[in-house]
Amino acid sequence: MTKDERKYLSRVAELGCIVCRRMGYEGTPSEIHHPRIGVGMGKRSSHYDAIPVCPNHHRHGKDSIHVLGTKGFPKHWGFTEEDLQSDVKKLLGEII
């Protein structure tokens, strides 16, 4: 990982969980999730496509990204990982 990637991921993590934010709870501690959409099996997306999610929405909760999967997550929540990436880019001041 490059210095710029580490700096970017730090800024992403500082946003707090993007799912919690959509529910009106800003500042929830987050960890980095690399969406798997558009990449092959066993691969992850670029660090610049990462989204911040709390452990519950990332991997521990029954409604988390890793439990529901790439098809079940948007079906449950009504938004996709791409929607969350767009939110992150807007919050960081990057135009999509």
Side-chain angles (χ1 to χ4, degrees):
M1 185 181 324
T2 68
K3 181 179 176 182
D4 285 340
E5 288 170 329
R6 275 193 296 278
K7 184 177 175 181
Y8 181 80
L9 290 177
S10 179
R11 288 179 57 216
V12 169
E14 288 173 3
L15 294 173
C17 178
I18 201 72
V19 177
C20 288
R21 182 183 283 268
R22 277 190 167 224
M23 297 183 334
Y25 306 110
E26 292 186 26
T28 306
S30 66
E31 51 193 35
I32 297 298
H33 171 68
H34 291 84
R36 291 171 282 172
I37 295 171
V39 295
M41 291 293 288
K43 306 258 185 198
R44 68 175 180 199
S45 61
S46 163
H47 293 305
Y48 296 104
D49 291 329
I51 56 176
V53 285
C54 65
N56 189 54
H57 290 127
H58 188 203
R59 53 195 165 85
H60 292 307
K62 63 179 177 17
D63 55 1
S64 69
I65 292 172
H66 285 284
V67 171
L68 294 174
T70 56
K71 292 183 181 174
F73 185 79
K75 187 175 183 178
H76 176 79
W77 286 103
F79 49 81
T80 65
E81 291 176 294
E82 290 94 343
D83 295 331
L84 297 175
Q85 285 174 324
S86 179
D87 290 354
V88 169
K89 299 292 185 186
K90 288 175 188 170
L91 288 166
L92 294 177
E94 299 176 12
I95 305 299
I96 295 184

